[in-house]
Amino acid sequence: NAGVTQTPKFQVLKTGQSMTLQCAQDMNHNSMYWYRQDPGMGLRLIYYSASEGTTDKGEVPNGYNVSRLNKREFSLRLESAAPSQTSVYFCASRRDRGDGYTFGSGTRLTVV
Amino acid sequence: AQRVTQPEKLLSVFKGAPVELKCNYSYSGSPELFWYVQYSRQRLQLLLRHISRESIKGFTADLNKGETSFHLKKPFAQEEDSAMYYCALSSGNTGKLIFGQGTTLQVKP
């Protein structure tokens, strides 16, 4: 039982490059989330998917897009990376309200 | 506005001392509150949920609606408790979690 799997674990991009962060969960969870973690700012929600087929913006969606490909997978795309997007990105999922989140191990992204 | 505030960036205590990590929230409805822990460069792990009223690794947290607080407590800190701790509030029907800024707990030998 892998839980929430994120790939890649590390990535360095040049300004203007694009990339997709992958997230998959094998727990049959309904909701999935993308957060970024920055020092002194805690975790901020980028996008979320409350159920398969739906996606919504979170607190800091600018510069990102998402796809809920199926119930298992929720990807985050940076179309034109900027240095301000240097961060650690966490994917999470949960089954229902009242349940805690299960987090992935994170992707450490540096944009130069 | 829905908000979670953790007023301390860093809390440093000696092994065996009591620990209290503060969390205050702002929410108009009935809150669902959580504590998460992140050990060095690892994923976040759920530590406590207020609805379960359980004790995990010796930690407890009580929801005080009057003071809008959900402080995390442990009577005797251990070195292995050193980590980043996040308080989080579940928001509305979507279940989005709103996180505080986090408190680093440093337990000195």
Side-chain angles (χ1 to χ4, degrees), chain A residues 12-56:
Chain A
V12 178
L13 290 178
K14 293 182 178 178
T15 297
Q17 287 185 317
S18 62
M19 79 162 295
T20 300
L21 282 65
Q22 306 287 352
C23 176
Q25 52 92 8
D26 61 2
M27 298 170 287
N28 202 35
H29 284 178
N30 293 313
S31 305
M32 297 185 74
Y33 307 83
W34 276 104
Y35 284 86
R36 58 178 290 172
Q37 182 184 39
D38 301 290
M41 306 195 75
L43 279 83
R44 292 179 293 168
L45 182 64
I46 304 171
Y47 270 94
Y48 67 100
S49 172
S51 60
E52 186 179 358
T54 68
T55 60
D56 285 286

Side-chain angles (χ1 to χ4, degrees), chain A residues 63-82:
Chain A
Y64 306 95
N65 282 300
V66 290
S67 296
R68 182 77 183 265
L69 304 169
N70 47 55
K71 192 169 187 179
R72 289 187 64 247
E73 298 172 286
F74 188 41
S75 62
L76 178 71
R77 183 161 178 82
L78 287 71
E79 290 291 351
S80 179

